[in-house]
Amino acid sequence: MRAIAGLMALAGAVTTTTAAAQAMSPARYLEAAGAADVYERAASQMVLESTTDAKVRDVARMIMADHARGSATLRAAAARARVRVPAAALTPLQTELIAELRAETGLARDATYVAQQRAAHARALALHQAYAAGGSAAALKAAAARIAAVVARHAEALKAM
């Protein structure tokens, strides 16, 4: 039940993310993007250790690989923009979602993972699209646009599950 409440809060944040990202500083954007990457990669690693579903495994592997590349893209863009990249850390909500995922097993874990990732990717997509459209650091705006395309691909893959 807490997972559903957390997912609703995460999905509800999508509508506010767009406006907030347009006014957010480059450092705040990097902090939010870093948290999203850490969460999505940690959840994917956890599900890879237990799933027997080939589709879940393929999506989790894709997310891990693409988010690792996305993090590297943002670090390089931040260096070009002369913006310090804050240490990536989970938000309290993401920490709770990881704990809930850890408590699940088998098919329930797979289902929770897919539901959590759908909401997380919707929020991440809104974040990257908004920064690409209205951010203040040109190098980060370009990186955000490239990453948004990848996140959109993930969202579509998750939607099809």
Side-chain angles (χ1 to χ4, degrees), residues 5-7 9 40 51 56 58 81 87-88 113 120 124 132 149 156 158 160-161:
L7 290 172
E40 291 168 22
T51 191
V56 171
D58 289 346
Y113 169 77
E156 286 302 314
L158 289 159
M161 296 183 78

Side-chain angles (χ1 to χ4, degrees), residues 26-160:
R28 178 64 188 109
Y29 165 68
L30 289 167
E31 181 181 342
D37 276 350
V38 168
Y39 164 70
E40 291 168 22
R41 289 165 65 187
S44 295
Q45 181 60 48
M46 187 183 308
V47 84
L48 274 174
E49 294 169 1
S50 64
T51 191
T52 59
D53 186 311
K55 289 180 183 178
V56 171
R57 189 178 313 107
D58 289 346
V59 166
R61 284 182 181 144
M62 175 180 64
I63 288 171
M64 288 185 64
D66 289 347
H67 280 276
R69 283 189 293 274
S71 292
T73 297
L74 284 179
R75 282 191 303 274
R80 287 191 305 278
R82 299 178 193 261
V83 177
R84 186 186 69 78
V85 178
L90 294 173
T91 67
L93 174 59
Q94 291 166 332
T95 300
E96 184 176 325
L97 292 172
I98 290 289
E100 290 173 9
L101 187 61
R102 185 174 287 120
E104 298 287 355
T105 59
L107 295 177
R109 178 179 280 177
D110 290 355
T112 298
Y113 169 77
V114 171
Q116 286 182 359
Q117 290 300 304
R118 284 176 180 160
H121 278 79
R123 185 171 183 198
L125 182 58
L127 171 73
H128 294 298
Q129 287 176 332
Y131 197 84
S136 60
L140 286 173
K141 285 177 67 168
R146 287 191 306 276
I147 291 169
V150 174
V151 173
R153 186 169 42 96
H154 294 175
E156 286 302 314
L158 289 159
K159 187 177 176 182

